[in-house]
Amino acid sequence: IGSLSAAFNQMAQDLGAHQKLIADRERLRGELDLCRQIQSEMLPKQPLRLGFAEIKGVSIPAREVGGDFFNYFLLPEGEVALFVGDVSGKGVGAALLMANVQAMLRARLSLERDLAGLADAIDHEIDESTPKGVYLTLFMGILDSSHRVLRYVNAGHNPQFVLRAAGGLDRLASTGLPIAMFAGHGYREGSVTLGEGDILFFYTDGINEVENEKGEMFGSERLEALLVKHHEEGVDALLARIEREVLQFRGDADLFDDATMMVLRLGASAPKQA
């Protein structure tokens, strides 16, 4: 009877511990859901339609909170600020740094005209305020609406694309190391002139590095081929097509990283729809 009583007591303790574990998991899941909600609210909800361009972005969420971000907004002089980035790692830490960098960029892009200097300042600040090994890739630019020139800094991010209206694709390659990876190496500002009907396509590595059930990667070549083939489509149609192709390629494989895209089309010509 004593042994049976001890066994029941142990079962009661184990059941209590199990119930506490379930409650803790539910609480954590609720907190992660709230984090993802907050992240989602920080991204633009509506496209930006201007007299000379249309801009829209989309993020395909993974199961965890992560560090992808994108944004676009008008500057006081009528220029357009554009940025897309990816914080290393996942979880709440990456989400917090993403929020911090977004706030920093929104505040400073309205005042700072030297993009290389701005990237260098952010590089030092993030390096000094975060643990070692934490870094982010970042593409930020300012589009001059009058001359249709995009000035940009690519801090270790994937090459972003210019899809020419006449066909062809230009790559906006890296102009410096990822932010806070090895602080102090400096950045170079690049520029590209755009024409009527040209498209800027921005993305994070969650697009080209997504894998299917066989472990095969979607890849940059597949992405580039799709963009060249369908560059005449409208902003909405192009985003929807790439998202559809990525999801079809992935199949039933788990999505481990957010996949983010942003498209800017110049000109008011009526594009084809998918």
Side-chain angles (χ1 to χ4, degrees):
I1 293 174
S3 298
L4 186 60
S5 175
F8 274 113
N9 289 337
Q10 185 62 50
M11 287 174 60
Q13 291 176 11
D14 292 343
L15 181 60
H18 182 64
Q19 289 175 332
K20 184 179 184 302
L21 181 61
I22 291 175
D24 288 343
R25 284 179 176 174
E26 288 301 318
R27 179 181 55 79
L28 181 58
R29 184 179 291 112
E31 289 178 357
L32 289 174
D33 287 343
L34 179 59
C35 285
R36 176 160 291 287
Q37 230 178 347
I38 293 170
Q39 273 192 288
S40 177
E41 290 300 319
M42 295 184 70
L43 303 178
K45 293 294 179 294
Q46 301 295 330
L48 183 59
R49 293 186 172 93
L50 308 167
F52 65 95
E54 180 181 2
I55 316 164
K56 186 178 180 180
V58 63
S59 188
I60 307 168
R63 292 177 300 175
E64 300 179 57
V65 290
D68 273 20
F69 59 94
F70 73 91
N71 217 319
Y72 44 80
F73 51 90
L74 277 172
L75 296 173
E77 295 81 6
E79 298 171 314
V80 181
L82 306 155
F83 57 83
V84 60
D86 187 1
V87 177
S88 63
K90 297 181 180 68
V92 176
L96 288 172
L97 182 54
M98 177 275 273
N100 183 32
V101 172
Q102 275 231 69
M104 196 180 297
L105 287 169
R106 285 196 69 96
R108 298 191 183 184
L109 277 172
S110 300
L111 305 172
E112 180 63 65
R113 316 313 299 164
D114 178 7
L115 293 180
L118 175 57
D120 189 59
I122 294 174
D123 181 43
H124 282 89
E125 288 187 31
I126 298 299
D127 180 65
E128 292 169 1
S129 61
T130 57
K132 295 299 179 185
V134 176
Y135 63 91
L136 67 137
T137 64
L138 172 67
F139 185 100
M140 62 175 174
I142 294 178
L143 177 61
D144 182 337
S145 58
S146 300
H147 301 93
R148 299 195 174 184
V149 173
L150 175 72
R151 298 187 298 109
Y152 67 89
V153 165
N154 184 340
H157 203 68
N158 305 77
Q160 309 293 275
F161 300 134
V162 179
L163 304 171
R164 298 298 183 180
L169 178 148
D170 298 336
R171 299 171 185 83
L172 306 181
S174 177
T175 63
L177 294 173
I179 300 290
M181 177 173 273
F182 298 105
H185 283 73
Y187 296 89
R188 177 178 56 83
E189 183 178 295
S191 66
V192 60
T193 301
L194 305 170
E196 183 83 6
D198 286 352
I199 288 177
L200 288 167
F201 183 84
F202 307 91
Y203 68 106
T204 62
D205 59 12
I207 296 291
N208 59 308
E209 292 183 3
V210 67
E211 295 184 354
N212 60 18
E213 296 105 320
K214 299 177 182 178
E216 299 167 333
M217 196 176 290
F218 189 77
S220 297
E221 291 182 3
R222 193 189 309 266
L223 176 61
E224 291 181 22
L226 280 170
L227 290 171
V228 170
K229 182 178 180 180
H230 301 289
H231 74 278
E232 293 184 351
E233 294 181 355
V235 168
D236 290 328
L238 185 59
L239 285 170
R241 181 178 294 278
I242 301 301
E243 181 175 355
R244 186 167 61 248
E245 292 284 347
V246 168
L247 292 176
Q248 287 177 353
F249 175 84
R250 180 169 64 88
D252 293 327
D254 288 333
L255 185 63
F256 293 107
D257 196 6
D258 290 352
T260 298
M261 300 178 286
M262 183 171 72
V263 173
L264 180 150
R265 175 184 281 278
L266 279 169
S269 56
K272 298 179 181 178
Q273 297 299 318

